[in-house]
């Protein structure tokens, strides 16, 4: 007898429908099981899990020739997502569940040997896909239920055991769908754990980070060890606006697919902050494996990617950042196809001025020669530096500031400035794909960054003295536009050009 139901495969960050077909026919003395449809090793091993789960759940096993097909046959399938739908199709083919009851239902889940269900990655994108297809019901492991229910528009049922799944089709009225109040997630205040008020001094750096947050600009901080670069970077999310519902769904999909979503949270509502170690590989940063999964760059989507000790990262790792910083996405080409992951991040990097860290320091003597310093800074390529909008020098605080109890500007006041500037940008770019000044295209630069004669003369002087590339020129214009937004001005002034140019420390030949 033939039975069919539906599941889904994760390709990149999207789900694709997979039809599960099971046909039991031609009785034989020894059961013969054939699994087709480009399954990987985890799926081929699922036969043993499924047969054990069926037997230990009290159902009889099929005798004869059993063919299991995962369609479409040209889409490679991986993982343990298909255990539950395959098991239910087998039971339906054995008349434990009526075949017609499986129509309109999608299901996912990994089976333990005793028939209980284990959570799987990617429940949210599967739920969103089921909603788009108009599926009536979605069966998921109980630990994935709240995550999947965030998709809305499809009834999500939490299943703990194979027997529960069978009972659902026999007596659906006894099961209640999982509900999640998404609005309540935004009513929870920020935890307020990290605040810029904790940072003594560094008011000029706070100003620069406010500019970076207001326009979502990439920033690099240069300073000797212990001057507060990491401390400042970790507090940057405290001044960023909270995610919108659309952004939260994007981020949660990525976390779900990567398998790093908190099981006690149905949606990620805080801006991500990812800080990979400098030993990370290029695959760990942008994603990899035969069936690619999101890397640190995508996990920081709509948030902050902090790269501490930037020159210590391998050169090939840093170079893969160039395209994502421009396009906001990562494209990986594999033999089985091309995979695209979103990667619209705010890059924050930190570095020492030299290998020992004390070049130009008033506290300790630098032990590096000029060749060592040049080689150290040369680890960061010119094209990558061009893509970083703000270069900030972080000076060590004085003894008086260190011993003082006075608190500087806090995150609340800084965030208010950021939100006001972001609101101006939202109104300016309404109806377009652009959401902030950092992502303006060439046409928008011409339209919204028009310079008067005074500004043009100043820009000509800046480009000439610093020897800037065309890309660096555009970066200064974007930062100047953000400075004007912070001042609530419609036009860029010479003051904004001057401040934006001062945020290009690494472009100065004598630095």
């Amino acid at each position: 007898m033939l039975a069919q139901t539906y599941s889904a495969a994760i390709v990149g960050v999207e789900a694709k429908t997979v039809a599960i077909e099971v046909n039991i026919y031609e009785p034989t003395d020894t059961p013969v099981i054939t699994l087709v449809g480009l399954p990987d090793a985890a799926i081929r091993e699922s036969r043993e899990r499924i047969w054990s789960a069926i037997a230990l759940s009290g159902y009889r096993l099929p005798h004869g020739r059993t063919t299991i097909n995962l369609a479409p046959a040209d889409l490679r399938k991986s993982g343990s997502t298909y255990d539950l739908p395959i098991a239910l199709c087998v039971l339906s083919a054995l008349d434990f569940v009526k075949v017609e009851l499986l129509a309109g239902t999608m299901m996912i889940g990994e089976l333990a040997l005793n028939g209980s269900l284990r959570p799987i990655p990617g429940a949210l994108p599967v739920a969103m896909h089921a909603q788009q297809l108009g599926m009536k019901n979605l069966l998921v492991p109980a630990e994935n239920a709240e995550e999947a229910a965030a998709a809305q528009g499809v009834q999500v049922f939490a299943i703990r055991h194979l027997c529960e799944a069978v009972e659902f089709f026999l007596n659906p009225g006894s099961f209640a769908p999982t509900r999640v109040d998404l609005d309540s997630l935004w009513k929870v205040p920020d935890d307020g754990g990290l605040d810029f008020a904790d940072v003594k001094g560094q008011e000029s750096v706070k100003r620069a980070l406010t500019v970076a947050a207001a326009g979502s600009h990439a920033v690099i901080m240069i300073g000797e060890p212990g001057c507060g670069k990491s401390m400042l970077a970790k507090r940057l999310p405290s001044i960023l606006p909270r995610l919108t519902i659309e952004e939260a769904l994007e981020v949660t999909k990525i976390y779900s697919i990567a398998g790093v979503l908190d099981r006690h949270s149905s949606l990620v509502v805080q801006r991500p902050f990812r800080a990979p170690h400098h030993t990370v590989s290029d695959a760990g940063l942008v994603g990899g494996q035969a069936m690619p999964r999101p890397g640190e760059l995508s996990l920081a989507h709509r948030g902050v990617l902090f790269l501490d000790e930037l020159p210590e990262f391998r050169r090939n790792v840093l170079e893969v950042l160039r395209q994502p910083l421009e396009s906001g996405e990562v494209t990986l080409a594999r033999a089985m196809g091309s995979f695209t992951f979103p990667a619209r991040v705010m890059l924050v990097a930190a570095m020492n001025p030299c290998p020992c860290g004390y070049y130009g320091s008033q506290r300790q003597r630098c032990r590096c020669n000029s060749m060592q310093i040049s080689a150290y800074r040369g680890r960061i390529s010119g094209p990558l530096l061009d893509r970083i909008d703000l270069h900030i020098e972080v000076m060590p605080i004085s003894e008086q500031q260190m011993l003082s109890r006075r608190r500087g500007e806090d995150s609340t006041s800084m965030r208010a400035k950021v939100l006001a500037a972001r609101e101006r940008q939202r109104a300016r770019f309404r109806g377009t794909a652009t959401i902030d000044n950092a992502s303006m295209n060439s046409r928008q630069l011409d339209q919204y960054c028009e310079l008067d004669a005074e500004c043009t003369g100043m820009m000509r002087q800046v480009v000439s003295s610093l020897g800037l590339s065309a890309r660096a020129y555009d970066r200064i214009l974007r930062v100047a536009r953000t400075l004007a937004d912070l001042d609530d001005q419609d036009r860029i002034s010479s003051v904004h050009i001057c401040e934006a140019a001062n945020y290009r420390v690494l472009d100065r030949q004598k630095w």
Side-chain angles (χ1 to χ4, degrees):
M1 183 176 178
L2 177 66
Q4 178 178 320
T5 189
Y6 298 97
S7 188
I10 302 298
V11 180
V13 292
E14 302 297 332
K16 292 185 179 294
T17 305
V18 173
I20 312 293
E21 300 171 326
V22 173
N23 187 23
I24 301 175
Y25 61 102
E26 192 180 324
T28 60
D29 295 334
T30 303
V32 178
I33 306 166
T34 304
L35 182 58
V36 297
L38 281 183
D40 70 350
I43 300 176
R44 290 193 295 270
E45 291 174 356
S46 69
R47 295 177 298 184
E48 308 305 324
R49 294 193 299 270
I50 294 168
W51 257 240
S52 174
I54 291 174
L56 293 179
S57 298
Y59 304 104
R60 64 181 174 86
L61 293 171
H63 293 284
R65 197 176 291 274
T66 302
T67 300
I68 303 169
N69 181 39
L70 310 179
D74 60 346
L75 175 65
R76 188 173 294 278
K77 293 86 179 176
S78 63
S80 55
T81 303
Y82 311 103
D83 289 7
L84 179 62
I86 291 175
L88 281 172
C89 271
V90 170
L91 293 176
S92 179
L94 294 172
D95 290 329
F96 288 103
V97 177
K98 292 186 180 299
V99 174
E100 57 270 17
L101 294 178
L102 299 181
T105 299
M106 184 173 281
M107 56 193 80
I108 53 175
E110 176 185 337
L111 286 171
L113 295 181
N114 64 357
S116 60
L117 261 73
R118 292 182 173 135
I120 51 92
L124 178 59
V126 171
M128 297 174 71
H129 181 63
Q131 173 195 17
Q132 294 169 0
L133 293 178
M135 289 284 179
K136 184 179 179 182
N137 303 318
L138 174 65
L139 305 188
V140 300
E143 292 186 48
N144 293 122
E146 289 193 3
E147 170 195 341
Q152 310 285 292
V154 61
Q155 293 191 106
V156 176
F157 294 92
I159 305 297
R160 292 175 175 80
H161 196 277
L162 178 59
C163 293
E164 281 190 22
V166 175
E167 181 64 21
F168 172 81
F169 291 103
L170 299 180
N171 188 17
S174 61
F175 288 78
T178 302
R179 305 289 186 193
V180 175
D181 182 9
L182 296 182
D183 293 334
S184 65
L185 299 177
W186 273 265
K187 295 177 182 177
V188 178
D190 294 342
D191 58 12
L194 297 175
D195 196 295
F196 274 103
D198 303 330
V199 181
K200 294 182 179 180
Q202 307 295 8
E203 296 304 315
S204 62
V205 183
K206 290 183 184 180
R207 161 68 175 178
L209 291 179
T210 301
V211 175
S216 194
H217 300 288
V219 58
I220 183 170
M221 294 179 284
I222 312 100
E224 65 183 70
C227 65
K229 302 185 295 294
S230 299
M231 188 178 186
L232 288 158
K234 291 175 182 177
R235 281 154 178 76
L236 194 55
S238 67
I239 64 174
L240 293 174
R242 300 191 77 172
L243 294 169
T244 64
I245 179 63
E246 293 81 10
E247 292 173 337
L249 286 171
E250 287 180 16
V251 174
T252 308
K253 277 174 62 177
I254 297 169
Y255 275 60
S256 175
I257 292 168
V260 296
L261 182 65
D262 184 357
R263 297 298 180 195
H264 303 290
S265 175
S266 57
L267 211 60
V268 177
V269 296
Q270 303 290 342
R271 296 275 174 183
F273 181 87
R274 305 293 298 186
H277 192 259
H278 62 76
T279 57
V280 68
S281 66
D282 51 356
L285 189 63
V286 301
Q289 304 179 358
M291 183 64 74
R293 287 288 182 266
E296 290 290 336
L297 192 56
S298 293
L299 291 172
H301 180 59
R302 301 294 184 188
V304 175
L305 177 68
F306 178 46
L307 302 183
D308 199 7
E309 305 294 346
L310 188 67
E312 301 298 334
F313 285 77
R314 289 193 289 271
R315 182 68 176 258
N316 65 305
V317 173
L318 293 179
E319 292 308 301
V320 300
L321 289 172
R322 289 161 57 173
Q323 181 257 340
L325 289 178
E326 289 285 339
S327 64
E329 60 185 21
V330 174
T331 301
L332 303 176
R334 293 292 185 270
M336 64 187 68
S338 180
F339 301 84
T340 299
F341 298 105
R344 191 161 294 283
V345 304
M346 180 179 171
L347 175 65
V348 179
M351 63 176 286
N352 296 327
C354 66
C356 77
Y358 294 102
Y359 175 77
S361 173
Q362 301 299 315
R363 298 186 303 168
Q364 293 194 38
R365 182 179 179 181
C366 176
R367 302 188 302 271
C368 308
N369 59 42
S370 58
M371 292 183 63
Q372 290 173 323
I373 296 174
S374 178
Y376 178 77
R377 297 179 184 176
R379 296 177 189 175
I380 307 172
S381 69
L384 179 60
L385 280 178
D386 269 356
R387 289 169 168 82
I388 299 178
D389 300 349
L390 288 86
H391 310 163
I392 310 168
E393 191 167 7
V394 184
M395 304 299 295
I397 62 175
S398 65
E399 292 181 5
Q400 181 179 357
Q401 290 174 318
M402 195 181 304
L403 297 173
S404 172
R405 298 178 63 114
R406 187 180 65 84
R407 293 163 65 88
E409 187 175 13
D410 59 17
S411 293
T412 301
S413 62
M414 294 171 66
R415 188 178 193 180
K417 298 174 186 176
V418 170
L419 292 178
R422 290 276 185 124
E423 186 56 41
R424 284 182 62 89
Q425 293 168 56
R426 189 175 297 111
R428 177 185 304 131
F429 301 125
R430 186 171 288 119
T432 69
T434 306
I435 59 174
D436 49 48
N437 289 336
S439 55
M440 280 192 292
N441 58 38
S442 301
R443 186 175 300 174
Q444 290 166 334
L445 275 174
D446 293 338
Q447 181 177 357
Y448 301 119
C449 300
E450 188 176 358
L451 304 180
D452 58 22
E454 182 182 3
C455 292
T456 301
M458 180 169 290
M459 279 297 293
R460 183 178 291 109
Q461 184 179 353
V462 168
V463 171
S464 175
S465 61
L466 298 182
L468 298 180
S469 66
R471 182 182 288 113
Y473 169 81
D474 286 349
R475 299 289 174 181
I476 290 179
L477 281 183
R478 290 183 172 94
V479 174
R481 178 65 267 171
T482 300
L483 289 166
D485 289 336
L486 286 168
D487 289 342
D488 198 21
Q489 295 183 13
D490 293 328
R491 294 185 64 86
I492 295 173
S493 70
S494 58
V495 174
H496 302 138
I497 295 291
C498 183
E499 184 174 355
N502 282 333
Y503 290 137
R504 303 292 301 185
V505 169
L506 294 179
D507 288 330
R508 302 173 192 169
Q509 295 296 326
K510 295 182 180 181
W511 179 80

